[in-house]
Amino acid sequence: MPTISEINARFLHYIQSLDQQGADKLISNCLKAGLPPEQIITKIIMPAIDAIAEKQKNREVVVAQIYVMAKIAENEINKVLVEMPIKPRTKGTVIIGTPMGDYHGLGKKLVATFLRLADYQVMDLGLSVNHFDFVNMAIAFNAKIICVSALLLHTALGITEIRKELDSRGYNHIKIVVGGALFNFNPKLSNKYGADAMAPNALDAVRVVRELAGDF
Ligand code: B12
């Protein structure tokens, strides 16, 4: 059995070569070999996406390539997520989505899954969500937390709109937690946009949600 870093290098090679079949076979073999799904996501798939992000920063790949690479990564994430245990949701409801105009969905999907594994009922509103919908759903489902996954600077203003809408309707006890590339680049932005907290990854997202919801 190759080491995790060897598997990661191979996975990166497959997505860089836009080889869906190779990636598929590799991840299937990892699952068959009994590698824990969480480890496959955090140690094999996510580091590969980070490496691609680095290449994009250095302008070594173009958006069309990133699109296909992200699609391959997403297919493999979906395959691994199916293997994760289904647990009863004993904690409260959390609303999650991306702000209007933001179609980056991989981080949101992972955060939603990790919250579900931590027993939260997660209402995933999907991509490019209007701020009214975030607020209406939070109120309707008695959620204590709204999670916003924001990767684009110009669409993150949607978070400020959610804050304003909550405050103007007297729901300022509902907390906003944010994450995504934007806040990993500059964590202070979370405060600027009116969020209560940020987390840099899906595991920390669970910790922050627990703290804000008062669940231990
Ligand atoms: C893949 C990708 C795409 C794919 C998205 C495919 C998909 N299905 O999601 C495609 C090709 C479609 C795309 C398009 C664009 N993209 Co793009 N994209 C990326 C890239 C390379 C990776 C994002 C990703 O999926 N990462 C993997 C996931 C797992 O990580 P993550 O999202 O960060 O999530 C983790 C944490 O951040 C955290 N987290 C995430 N959400 C949340 C939420 C909460 C509540 C919490 C607590 C935590 C949390 O936990 C997650 C898991 O650990 C980033 C670079 C980067 N550094 O992020 C650029 C990036 C986000 N894109 C960028 C841009 C500009 C664009 C485009 C405008 C086109 C372009 N010129 O590149 C379009 C815009 C499309 C739109 N309107 O949404 C810029 C944004 C810059 C900015 N400041 O606004 C980035 C940063 C690249 C760059 N360096 O320039 N992109």
Side-chain angles (χ1 to χ4, degrees):
M1 180 79 186
T3 64
I4 288 285
S5 60
E6 283 164 348
I7 302 174
N8 169 243
R10 221 178 286 172
F11 184 71
L12 179 60
H13 165 75
Y14 287 135
I15 59 174
Q16 276 179 323
S17 341
L18 310 183
D19 181 352
Q20 172 72 75
Q21 274 186 333
D24 228 24
K25 206 165 159 203
L26 182 70
I27 298 301
S28 296
N29 284 341
C30 289
L31 287 167
K32 270 192 217 135
L35 231 64
E38 275 184 39
Q39 211 177 348
I40 299 179
I41 287 181
T42 56
K43 300 275 190 286
I44 296 169
I45 302 181
M46 277 169 53
I49 304 174
D50 287 344
I52 299 296
E54 203 50 38
K55 284 187 184 293
Q56 187 192 31
K57 213 160 72 187
N58 302 334
R59 298 181 190 278
E60 291 168 46
V61 285
V62 298
V63 182
Q65 286 170 304
I66 299 277
Y67 182 82
V68 182
M69 291 173 189
K71 193 67 212 158
I72 295 174
E74 185 175 10
N75 289 344
E76 298 315 310
I77 287 174
N78 287 342
K79 183 192 274 179
V80 177
L81 292 185
V82 172
E83 300 299 323
M84 288 189 149
I86 298 172
K87 296 166 76 190
R89 319 274 188 235
T90 52
K91 300 251 169 62
T93 302
V94 174
I95 305 296
I96 195 166
T98 70
M100 198 71 172
D102 193 334
Y103 290 90
H104 294 86
L106 303 184
K108 174 183 68 60
K109 186 172 276 186
L110 293 178
V111 172
T113 301
F114 279 69
L115 285 170
R116 288 188 180 116
L117 289 171
D119 300 344
Y120 285 94
Q121 176 80 45
V122 180
M123 299 284 302
D124 187 343
L125 306 187
L127 305 173
S128 189
V129 181
N130 186 296
H131 62 277
F132 292 117
D133 291 338
F134 273 110
V135 173
N136 289 339
M137 292 302 265
I139 294 171
F141 286 88
N142 200 18
K144 287 186 195 164
I145 311 275
I146 294 175
C147 283
V148 187
S149 179
L151 279 80
L152 294 170
L153 195 56
H154 65 281
T155 63
L157 280 175
I159 299 162
T160 314
E161 296 303 321
I162 297 173
R163 174 87 281 154
K164 280 193 208 151
E165 189 62 20
L166 285 172
D167 291 352
S168 73
R169 288 164 69 172
Y171 285 90
N172 49 6
H173 58 280
I174 298 179
K175 306 287 184 207
I176 304 175
V177 180
V178 293
L182 198 57
F183 303 103
N184 288 349
F185 293 149
N186 182 1
K188 286 189 187 142
L189 282 181
S190 66
N191 210 272
K192 183 177 163 204
Y193 286 115
D196 296 283
M198 71 78 68
N201 56 53
L203 287 174
D204 285 320
V206 173
R207 178 183 53 76
V208 167
V209 165
R210 273 195 186 128
E211 278 168 15
L212 283 181
D215 297 323
F216 296 99

